[in-house]
Amino acid sequence: MTSIQSVLAAFAIILIDLLGRAGLDKVLALTGGPAMVALWAQLQSVVELVSAVTMAGVLQGLTVLITQVSESRDERSLLRDALKLGLGTSLAVALIVALAAPELVVWLTQRRLETDLFLLAALAGCITVVPATLNAYWLGKHQQQRMLGLALLTSVILLLVAASAWFGLSLRGLMWVQSLMLAIIAIVIWRYLHKLSRVRDGQQDGAEYFRKLVKFVPVGLAIGIMSPVSMLLVRGMLSGTLSWSDVGFLQALWRSTEWVTATAAGVLSLIFLPRFSATYGSARFKREMTRAGVMVLIPAACLLLLIFFNQRAMLATLYDARFVVSNETAALIMLGSWIRIASWLFLFGLFSAHRTGLIMAGEILSLPLYALLLWLFADGMTLERTALLYFVSYLVYLGFNAIALLYSSRKTTIAQREVGYE
């Protein structure tokens, strides 16, 4: 189902992304310090806010549905509908961000950023949808090798942004570099997608798959809006209760765990989501879930422990010697990160089951819950408390996702038995 070449390509894609982000963060830390790292992260959360409403919804649906169809005509219809629906969703969110930008820069950055930077970030988020659509299509067809080529191409963007930061460009200049490079790549990919999805032999496909994709839109809005907005709120609140430098330290610690969390998310998405989607409702689904748990959770625990025991050296290497947190803070963030990975295992199971309502309900119990807890316990806030609340919020999220998938699986099994008796 998944070749060795596809698995290796998936790991290479993850590694390229991690190296690109780490290199850029290192340059930002050296040239601008912890505050620069935190403010760039705020802008990238705006990019994610606009793009993730599509990537976490419509494009996840595209991957799942492509895996489950066999006719090339159906694939073309899915790709065409996903591109239209995805761009429309992200454009709507980008418009809202643009209208609210003057208030957002005050609320979320204490005027440390200008309004036009939020507009550029929203634009970059819209453009990101185009290459992401091609990625989702190739993933559904198990073509991770092609995705690797696209990852190498888009990594040039991070390389150029890092080079621009090294030569002293401001945040505004960096956002322009990111947006322009994204636009150039997106134009090329758009032409390819148009060719790939065009109607052949004069046949027009019906609206069946469009309706199926629409079901994933609320999921994308829930995850795509709640997660980036929550991170924007988290950084904004902590900059007031602590400082932008402390936010930069916390951001650096999260980035250090991303070597594990992003790898785990990539393995679950690039390798196991297509497998979950192809086997859901059969006895093989449970075996795939068990295999994913063993392959992801055990190595993740070992690697997070390794990071914890070497966290000071790692932060100094990835950033510089100013980036220091307590052992208690690091331990709770590592534990919370492992719980977060475990919750994703069940989340991708819910995606394969098309349980969009449960996914949306559970999303409230992740980063939004974390933001709420930070607000409720803001008095006397410390980095240690922020880490503890991070752990607690994802423990709740893990419990919900596990129960939701168990409920969905049992409901599917009962439905299959009733059909068999008829």
Side-chain angles (χ1 to χ4, degrees):
M1 189 180 285
T2 305
S3 67
I4 295 295
Q5 291 84 355
S6 294
V7 172
L8 292 175
F11 277 106
I13 292 167
I14 297 166
L15 183 61
I16 288 168
D17 181 63
L18 288 170
L19 286 172
R21 291 176 184 272
L24 176 56
D25 275 359
K26 177 73 173 182
V27 174
L28 291 173
L30 292 174
T31 57
M36 183 79 155
V37 173
L39 290 170
W40 175 258
Q42 284 292 75
L43 287 172
Q44 294 312 298
S45 285
V46 177
V47 176
E48 292 167 10
L49 170 61
V50 174
S51 61
V53 292
T54 292
M55 295 169 66
V58 173
L59 298 189
Q60 289 279 28
L62 174 63
T63 296
V64 170
L65 294 172
I66 284 289
T67 305
Q68 297 171 349
V69 301
S70 56
E71 296 290 335
S72 60
R73 183 179 65 179
D74 294 333
E75 292 179 358
R76 292 194 301 273
S77 178
L78 275 168
L79 181 57
R80 187 168 57 251
D81 290 343
L83 186 59
K84 291 188 295 186
L85 191 58
L87 282 173
T89 303
S90 286
L91 283 170
V93 175
L95 180 60
I96 295 173
V97 170
L99 293 173
E103 289 74 27
L104 291 177
V105 295
V106 176
W107 189 24
L108 300 174
T109 72
Q110 292 78 52
R111 298 186 185 277
R112 291 291 297 271
L113 297 175
E114 300 294 332
T115 301
D116 64 316
L117 290 178
F118 269 50
L119 300 181
L120 278 173
L123 173 63
C126 285
I127 300 171
T128 300
V129 171
V130 177
T133 301
L134 183 58
N135 251 336
Y137 172 77
W138 278 341
L139 177 58
K141 293 183 69 65
H142 300 275
Q143 294 178 340
Q144 284 88 345
Q145 295 96 322
R146 292 188 176 186
M147 294 173 65
L148 175 57
L150 183 56
L152 287 169
L153 178 61
T154 53
S155 68
V156 174
I157 299 171
L158 291 175
L159 180 63
L160 289 177
V161 172
S164 301
W166 183 259
F167 286 108
L169 259 69
S170 64
L171 280 173
R172 180 177 288 99
L174 299 184
M175 286 304 303
W176 273 111
V177 171
Q178 181 184 29
S179 299
L180 290 174
M181 286 304 303
L182 268 171
I184 292 170
I185 292 172
I187 289 171
V188 176
I189 293 175
W190 177 273
R191 292 174 62 87
Y192 177 72
L193 285 173
H194 179 71
K195 182 179 180 181
L196 200 62
S197 62
R198 67 187 178 191
V199 177
R200 298 174 185 174
D201 303 323
Q203 294 180 334
Q204 273 299 99
D205 297 308
E208 175 187 359
Y209 290 112
F210 184 83
R211 289 194 296 270
K212 289 184 177 181
L213 285 169
V214 167
K215 292 180 181 179
F216 287 89
V217 172
V219 178
L221 292 173
I223 297 177
I225 290 177
M226 288 185 190
S227 293
V229 166
S230 297
M231 284 308 301
L232 285 164
L233 290 172
V234 164
R235 295 192 197 99
M237 284 188 290
L238 290 178
S239 69
T241 56
L242 298 171
S243 69
W244 276 111
S245 290
D246 285 328
V247 175
F249 297 152
L250 193 61
Q251 180 69 26
L253 190 58
W254 278 326
R255 284 293 195 201
S256 70
T257 64
E258 274 192 3
W259 290 88
V260 181
T261 58
T263 300
V267 170
L268 290 171
S269 176
L270 299 175
I271 297 174
F272 284 105
L273 177 59
R275 298 172 73 98
F276 291 166
S277 301
T279 59
Y280 183 76
S282 70
R284 291 169 54 202
F285 177 73
K286 186 177 180 180
R287 292 199 296 271
E288 290 293 345
M289 287 287 295
T290 302
R291 180 180 296 149
V294 171
M295 289 182 61
V296 173
L297 295 181
I298 295 176
C302 295
L303 290 171
L304 286 169
L305 275 173
L306 185 63
I307 293 174
F308 169 70
F309 288 121
N310 297 276
Q311 54 104 354
R312 292 180 184 274
M314 188 165 185
L315 288 177
T317 300
L318 293 176
Y319 296 87
D320 63 35
R322 290 172 293 176
F323 288 74
V324 178
V325 298
S326 68
N327 287 333
E328 183 182 357
T329 300
L332 288 168
I333 290 293
M334 300 304 151
L335 185 56
S337 296
W338 188 83
I339 295 295
R340 185 183 185 191
I341 293 169
S343 71
W344 290 339
L345 175 65
F346 298 100
L347 175 65
F348 282 109
L350 289 170
F351 266 113
S352 67
H354 299 198
R355 300 299 185 185
T356 54
L358 290 173
I359 293 171
M360 288 186 291
E363 184 60 23
I364 299 172
L365 302 176
S366 57
L367 283 173
L369 175 60
Y370 180 45
L372 176 63
L373 292 175
L374 287 175
W375 179 70
L376 291 174
F377 298 97
D379 290 341
M381 183 61 67
T382 63
L383 282 177
E384 288 77 12
R385 186 185 295 179
T386 65
L388 175 61
L389 296 178
Y390 180 78
F391 163 72
V392 169
S393 62
Y394 274 105
L395 188 61
V396 173
Y397 187 50
L398 169 62
F400 177 88
N401 282 349
I403 294 171
L405 184 59
L406 180 63
Y407 164 78
S408 299
S409 297
R410 287 183 176 177
K411 190 174 180 180
T412 300
T413 301
I414 292 172
Q416 289 174 338
R417 287 175 181 172
E418 289 177 350
V419 171
Y421 290 146
E422 293 177 356

